[in-house]
Amino acid sequence: MSELQKPIIGISIGDFNGIGPEVILKAVGGNRLNKICTPVIYGSGKVINRYRQILELKDWQFFTIQKIEQLNHKQVNVINCMNDQNLEVNPGAITPEAGKLAFESLKRAVEDLKSGKITALVTAPINKHNIQSDVFKFPGHTEFLADTFGTKDVLMFMVSNDLKIGVVTGHLPLEQVKQNINKELITKKLEQIKTSLKRDFGIQKPRIAVLGLNPHAGENGLLGNEEEEIIKPAITEFKKKGNIVFGPFPADGFFGTAAWKNYDAVLAMYHDQGLMPFKMIAFENGVNFTAGLPKVRTSPDHGTAYDIAGKNQADESSMLNAIYTAIDIAKNRQELSDLEANSMKKKTIVLKEASMED
């Protein structure tokens, strides 16, 4: 693969006192990814160098730059996103400085993503509290990216090779879940899953399972009416459009009997209903993908893990898979775009020939 063909993968540093820098360096250290992509870490050369020392990666070098146009395709690049002279790495501590750099690195990375200077973005975990400011007032990455790109309809899509789970409601308190679930929203999320499976993962006729909201999927109204009044009508309507969809299934039995293996994706009603089984089944290789954005964004499926930060105990598997998934989705989207362009070109030629014959 030539340098011009290699995708440029931006990686935001997240909270540098968490395990973000460690899993990033373990993933890219030794230039292990440079054959298939050009990694660009948005953060701080000082912070990266400190973790390089902590992890004893003394023989590995990175290339420090100030802007994306200066990148070196043969090395891992680090963009300094703010003056880092006063930054102090303190693994496990929650500090304002770590929150500020987390935001600055994310902002710079998203700017380059929007302008097409990087192919995809992989975000390391943030602390949802110390990143808050007058310009960042969001529950997490997903909501910030949706707002930045002006895209209302995005889907938190947890993906691995074997299991893919989307959620109807994301970062909401449990007491607000019921009032936010409606037929239109479920239908919208089903459409987003179907579109993403086809566009991003190359699955042309996806099979989708839908979970119920209540215990035992409502037990025919005995334990709640949402299944009968909201979820089943949404499934029926979606199925009438020619889609392959089943449910609602009781969540406990669905995962307990491994029924999820029969489907390409699952739609859960709320955050923990989907993410809890996903992390139990695919924690080491799971990836958080924001479906519905015009650009590709993935992230590892874990948090900052302050308790093991700086101890060389963090597993980089999820970060690696987030990078691989971003590369694959970008490639799938480009191939689909090329096919559609070629198809339009052929149709135009046929129409021109037909008009000439007339």
Side-chain angles (χ1 to χ4, degrees):
M1 184 180 295
S2 71
E3 292 181 354
L4 292 177
Q5 293 175 321
K6 286 197 305 182
I8 302 170
I9 305 300
I11 307 171
S12 61
I13 198 170
D15 188 310
F16 63 73
N17 286 324
I19 63 171
E22 181 175 333
V23 295
I24 292 171
L25 290 193
K26 286 181 175 179
V28 306
N31 302 90
R32 62 191 294 185
L33 292 173
N34 278 78
K35 289 184 178 180
I36 60 172
C37 71
T38 301
V40 181
I41 303 170
Y42 288 79
S44 157
K46 180 180 179 180
V47 171
I48 294 300
N49 192 53
R50 180 71 186 102
Y51 276 96
R52 185 176 69 90
Q53 295 170 356
I54 292 173
L55 301 174
E56 297 184 350
L57 299 172
K58 298 175 183 177
D59 296 331
W60 174 70
Q61 301 295 323
F62 58 90
F63 189 63
T64 304
I65 57 179
Q66 300 303 317
K67 55 184 180 180
I68 193 67
E69 289 80 7
Q70 299 169 333
L71 66 80
N72 184 331
H73 285 281
K74 295 180 180 179
Q75 290 186 298
V76 174
N77 301 263
V78 176
I79 294 182
N80 280 322
C81 296
M82 59 181 278
N83 188 331
D84 60 9
Q85 289 183 349
N86 297 322
L87 291 180
E88 293 297 333
V89 174
N90 190 2
I94 301 174
T95 66
E97 292 77 18
K100 184 176 181 181
L101 181 61
F103 172 70
E104 292 297 332
S105 68
L106 178 62
K107 183 178 72 170
R108 284 284 299 275
V110 170
E111 287 172 357
D112 287 346
L113 183 66
K114 287 184 72 174
S115 62
K117 295 176 182 178
I118 60 177
T119 309
L121 171 63
V122 179
T123 57
I126 59 173
N127 180 313
K128 294 178 174 62
H129 296 288
N130 69 356
I131 196 174
Q132 297 297 321
S133 68
D134 291 339
V135 289
F136 189 99
K137 298 179 180 179
F138 303 92
H141 283 113
T142 303
E143 294 81 3
F144 170 75
L145 289 163
D147 181 76
T148 301
F149 281 95
T151 307
K152 292 183 180 179
D153 300 327
V154 297
L155 174 74
M156 182 189 294
F157 208 9
M158 308 302 294
V159 303
S160 71
N161 289 334
D162 301 318
L163 176 62
K164 296 175 176 61
I165 297 181
V167 293
V168 176
T169 59
H171 294 126
L172 275 181
L174 194 56
E175 65 179 359
Q176 295 180 20
V177 168
K178 181 178 176 179
Q179 65 196 60
N180 278 277
I181 288 179
N182 55 65
K183 178 183 171 184
E184 291 73 25
L185 184 58
I186 292 172
T187 302
K188 185 181 295 183
K189 296 301 179 181
L190 283 170
E191 285 286 356
Q192 289 175 325
I193 287 178
K194 182 190 77 172
T195 299
S196 181
L197 290 173
K198 296 175 73 171
R199 178 190 184 195
D200 302 321
F201 298 96
I203 302 172
Q204 294 309 305
K205 292 184 177 180
R207 293 168 55 86
I208 305 172
V210 180
L211 301 181
L213 172 66
N214 299 294
H216 305 291
E219 200 78 83
N220 295 318
L222 181 66
L223 300 176
N225 297 317
E226 285 77 17
E227 285 75 14
E228 300 296 326
E229 297 177 358
I230 299 174
I231 301 174
K232 283 185 180 179
I235 291 173
T236 300
E237 184 175 301
F238 194 67
K239 192 177 292 186
K240 286 180 179 179
K241 297 178 181 179
N243 300 301
I244 307 173
V245 58
F246 301 89
F249 297 102
D252 55 352
F254 182 80
F255 290 105
T257 60
W260 55 270
K261 293 182 179 180
N262 300 320
Y263 303 93
D264 296 303
V266 180
L267 178 62
M269 291 297 111
Y270 56 94
H271 184 279
D272 283 15
Q273 186 189 53
L275 271 68
M276 188 181 296
F278 180 83
K279 291 191 177 186
M280 291 185 69
I281 294 167
F283 186 72
E284 291 186 354
N285 58 14
V287 174
N288 182 354
F289 166 52
T290 307
L293 286 177
K295 300 290 185 177
V296 179
R297 175 262 171 167
T298 65
S299 122
D301 68 350
H302 56 71
T304 52
Y306 289 122
D307 57 320
I308 61 170
K311 298 179 180 179
N312 202 7
Q313 297 177 6
D315 188 331
E316 73 275 21
S317 300
S318 186
M319 173 58 75
L320 264 174
N321 277 287
I323 295 171
Y324 292 145
T325 300
I327 294 171
D328 290 342
I329 292 174
K331 180 182 177 183
N332 289 338
R333 286 189 180 186
Q334 186 59 53
E335 288 178 350
L336 180 61
S337 177
D338 292 343
L339 283 171
E340 291 174 345
N342 288 333
S343 177
M344 287 296 297
K345 188 176 181 180
K346 288 179 181 179
K347 286 182 180 179
T348 301
I349 292 173
V350 170
L351 289 173
K352 285 184 178 179
E353 290 176 347
S355 63
M356 290 176 66
E357 290 176 2
D358 291 342

